[in-house]
Amino acid sequence: MKVVGCARSVDKIEKLAAECQSAGYSGVLIPYKCDLSNEEEILSMFSAIKTLHQGVDVCINNAGLARPEPLLSGKTEGWRMMIDVNVMAVSICTREVYRSMKERNIDDGHIININSMNGHSVVPQSVVHFYSATKYAVTALTEGLRQELREAKTHIRATCISPGLVETGFAFKLHDNDPERAAATYESIRCLKAEDMANAVIYVLSAPPHVQIGDIQMRPTEQIS
């Protein structure tokens, strides 16, 4: 399998690609620089993938961010950033992936949206209320996608994976003016790890063709909300 990993900064992906290669893993991880808040860059990325690798068979919409912008006092810029990355980028990538699959008569592809438990419940923390709204949108988009794929009489599947607290750089982006608070987010409980998310993706992709996994909701055992 060839995996194209896109990000605004590809340093970490390049490092991971080197680690995978030195470990002797099968497959190839290909870093690609792309700002997912910019539609032109997204379309350019899909064009490059078509030219270099024919197309996309599996898409994992993993990008997401939160800004500390409450509903009553938040900055429009922060809201728009969350909409652009958490909702618009997911929708644009999904559309382009489906086109790629249809062009090549791929009938068994898979689109996986990395959602959040915040897309299923609203926690009493004002800094994540707008973020939660964008993740509720991902919940609706994934189910809408599933229905449209059925209407198109295709066997392409759509799945959400909705984690609770995962130890990533997410909190440091949310609390970028308070790194101590961000670090404390991950120190309070034993969080999910990136490996846990990867295992969930593998589980989804390993399901038999007749099995449609709609949503995996997973959180740390110690997490309350």
Side-chain angles (χ1 to χ4, degrees):
M1 178 178 284
K2 295 178 181 177
V3 178
V4 178
C6 70
R8 280 185 294 183
S9 174
V10 296
D11 294 346
K12 290 183 178 180
I13 300 177
E14 289 174 343
K15 181 181 178 182
L16 180 59
E19 291 175 354
C20 291
Q21 185 176 14
S22 62
Y25 292 132
S26 59
V28 180
L29 175 58
I30 304 162
Y32 192 96
K33 187 174 182 179
C34 177
D35 181 356
L36 289 169
S37 66
N38 185 318
E39 182 175 6
E40 290 185 3
E41 290 196 22
I42 296 175
L43 298 180
S44 177
M45 175 183 66
F46 277 97
S47 177
I49 291 173
K50 180 179 180 179
T51 300
L52 298 172
H53 311 293
Q54 285 73 59
V56 181
D57 298 336
V58 174
C59 176
I60 302 172
N61 288 312
N62 180 59
L65 58 84
R67 300 298 300 143
E69 308 294 354
L71 300 177
L72 298 182
S73 59
K75 298 182 180 66
T76 304
E77 178 184 2
W79 294 342
R80 185 171 290 115
M81 185 184 301
M82 286 184 273
I83 288 287
D84 285 346
V85 175
N86 299 357
V87 181
M88 292 303 298
V90 170
S91 301
I92 295 168
C93 287
T94 297
R95 180 191 66 202
E96 296 306 309
V97 165
Y98 179 68
R99 287 176 177 173
S100 174
M101 293 177 184
K102 290 294 290 181
E103 286 174 358
R104 295 171 299 119
N105 296 316
I106 299 298
D107 191 51
D108 59 351
H110 211 130
I111 299 168
I112 300 174
N113 293 330
I114 305 302
N115 195 355
S116 169
M117 290 302 296
N118 288 96
H120 300 278
S121 63
V122 180
V123 297
Q125 298 177 27
S126 62
V127 292
V128 295
H129 284 163
F130 195 93
Y131 167 77
S132 184
T134 67
K135 288 303 184 177
Y136 265 85
V138 173
T139 300
L141 286 169
T142 308
E143 172 57 16
L145 173 62
R146 186 194 69 80
Q147 293 180 19
E148 290 190 26
L149 290 170
R150 298 293 73 76
E151 291 172 2
K153 300 188 185 306
T154 173
H155 293 89
I156 298 168
R157 291 177 286 181
T159 300
C160 260
I161 300 178
S162 302
L165 194 58
V166 185
E167 190 171 348
T168 64
F170 179 88
F172 290 93
K173 180 69 174 178
L174 174 61
H175 305 297
D176 53 3
N177 293 323
D178 191 351
E180 290 186 1
R181 181 180 179 184
T185 301
Y186 302 124
E187 295 170 355
S188 59
I189 61 173
R190 183 176 179 181
C191 301
L192 299 177
K193 304 289 187 181
E195 291 82 358
D196 300 314
M197 296 301 299
N199 287 333
V201 169
I202 292 170
Y203 174 77
V204 167
L205 293 176
S206 300
H210 69 286
V211 175
Q212 167 79 56
I213 298 175
D215 196 348
I216 293 179
Q217 297 184 24
M218 54 193 290
R219 55 163 65 89
T221 302
E222 297 175 350
Q223 184 174 343
I224 296 174
S225 61

